[in-house]
Amino acid sequence: MLKDAQDAYGHLILDYYNGQEIVEIVERDDGFIGTSRLGPLTYLAEFDDWAEHQQVAMDHVTGRVLDIGCGAGRHAIYLQERGFDVLGVDNSPLAIQVCRQRGLKNAVVVPVTRLNSQIGTFDTLLMMGHNFGLVGSITRARWLLKRFHKMTSSAAKIIAETQNAYQTTVPCHLAYHQFNRDRGRMGGQLRIRVRYRQYATPWFDILYVSKPEMEQIIHGTGWTVECYIDASDSTPTYIAILVKTEKR
């Protein structure tokens, strides 16, 4: 569990939820700094304000739902209001606190690497908000996908949002992709931390993948791509609908 001083993400969500103006800072391990005021607004957005591809993805949800990296709970709460049995999990204690304050009935602090069949069996795993990236690396992705296979029903789906990191012309991002390859990592494997005021998360890896890389990663894990849902605004974001294909 994150210590309070490490829960930058949770603090910024809680402050925004309580009406404060905030700036989210994301620091990459090559020194690149990104800032945004839109993150918390997105985290708390109502369904009508979601991107179209995210709205369409909700049509693929069935049965009992596990929202992995649920943040402030926008997807989980939307589905709960429509009668789904939803469990939201996040490694941020304050994000889970906000979820509960917003009315999510079931929300617990669990990092993605601690998920297993002990928390239950699910029909849909949500990895929205680019949260397929929480797999971190190709090795950990394959390990997690096999673990997810054991904690889901026979007709389960994973709704996995990510982005093609290579769909850019920005020199510093292209240089970072090569920097990663030179040290034996996937080009879109970012090492980052979130900062807010005096708070900073530990460094962690987030993995952005192209569609061919997605299919390479899931091969042999018991999952296959049913379809892709592309963002309609020409951004590199897309959602992969993964379905179970075999026993592991």
Side-chain angles (χ1 to χ4, degrees):
M1 180 184 299
L2 293 176
K3 298 178 181 178
D4 186 70
Q6 299 173 318
D7 197 3
Y9 176 73
H11 275 282
L12 69 89
I13 288 177
L14 180 61
D15 284 353
Y16 186 82
Y17 179 66
N18 288 329
Q20 299 184 38
E21 292 188 6
I22 69 92
V23 176
E24 181 177 9
I25 299 170
V26 177
E27 180 181 3
R28 200 168 63 190
D29 67 340
D30 64 339
F32 178 84
I33 301 290
T35 62
S36 173
R37 295 179 183 273
L38 296 178
L41 176 62
T42 302
Y43 304 149
L44 295 169
E46 298 295 332
F47 179 81
D48 288 345
D49 296 320
W50 296 5
E52 182 180 358
H53 70 283
Q54 295 176 335
Q55 294 176 338
V56 171
M58 294 300 100
D59 293 336
H60 292 267
V61 175
T62 62
R64 190 174 187 223
V65 182
L66 179 66
D67 188 356
I68 299 172
C70 62
R74 63 171 174 145
H75 303 104
I77 292 169
Y78 168 79
L79 292 170
Q80 177 181 272
E81 290 173 347
R82 276 143 191 84
F84 287 93
D85 178 8
V86 186
L87 173 63
V89 296
D90 204 290
N91 73 335
S92 165
L94 288 178
I96 293 299
Q97 177 181 318
V98 171
C99 283
R100 292 170 178 163
Q101 290 177 358
R102 297 183 67 210
L104 185 60
K105 295 176 183 177
N106 300 308
V108 294
V109 180
V110 183
V112 65
T113 54
R114 298 289 182 88
L115 294 174
N116 57 53
S117 57
Q118 292 183 358
I119 67 169
T121 300
F122 299 88
D123 305 291
T124 301
L125 303 186
L126 283 186
M127 303 185 80
M128 297 290 289
H130 297 125
N131 275 354
F132 182 76
L134 296 176
V135 299
S137 69
I138 186 170
T139 300
R140 195 169 82 176
R142 292 178 60 78
W143 172 71
L144 282 170
L145 287 166
K146 292 175 182 179
R147 176 172 282 199
F148 293 164
H149 201 277
K150 296 178 181 178
M151 53 186 285
T152 50
S153 63
S154 60
K157 295 183 179 182
I158 301 175
I159 301 177
E161 187 173 16
T162 186
Q163 64 177 319
N164 182 353
Y166 315 118
Q167 192 176 321
T168 181
T169 59
V170 179
C172 67
H173 297 331
L174 295 173
Y176 186 75
H177 299 158
Q178 189 58 50
F179 172 58
N180 272 336
R181 296 185 189 102
D182 290 344
R183 52 186 178 158
R185 294 159 62 91
M186 294 183 72
Q189 186 176 346
L190 283 62
R191 188 159 184 79
I192 62 173
R193 62 179 173 178
V194 177
R195 307 195 66 153
Y196 172 66
R197 296 186 176 176
Q198 73 269 36
Y199 308 103
T201 68
W203 290 97
F204 64 97
D205 285 351
I206 188 163
L207 182 64
Y208 296 141
V209 295
S210 65
K211 291 176 183 177
E213 287 175 332
M214 172 69 76
E215 293 175 18
Q216 174 192 0
I217 288 170
I218 69 173
H219 179 73
T221 64
W223 301 92
T224 191
V225 176
E226 180 180 68
C227 65
Y228 292 111
I229 306 171
D230 294 319
S232 58
D233 54 4
S234 300
T235 67
T237 294
Y238 67 92
I239 293 172
I241 306 297
L242 310 180
V243 294
K244 255 184 172 177
T245 59
E246 60 190 61
K247 294 182 180 180
R248 292 303 312 160

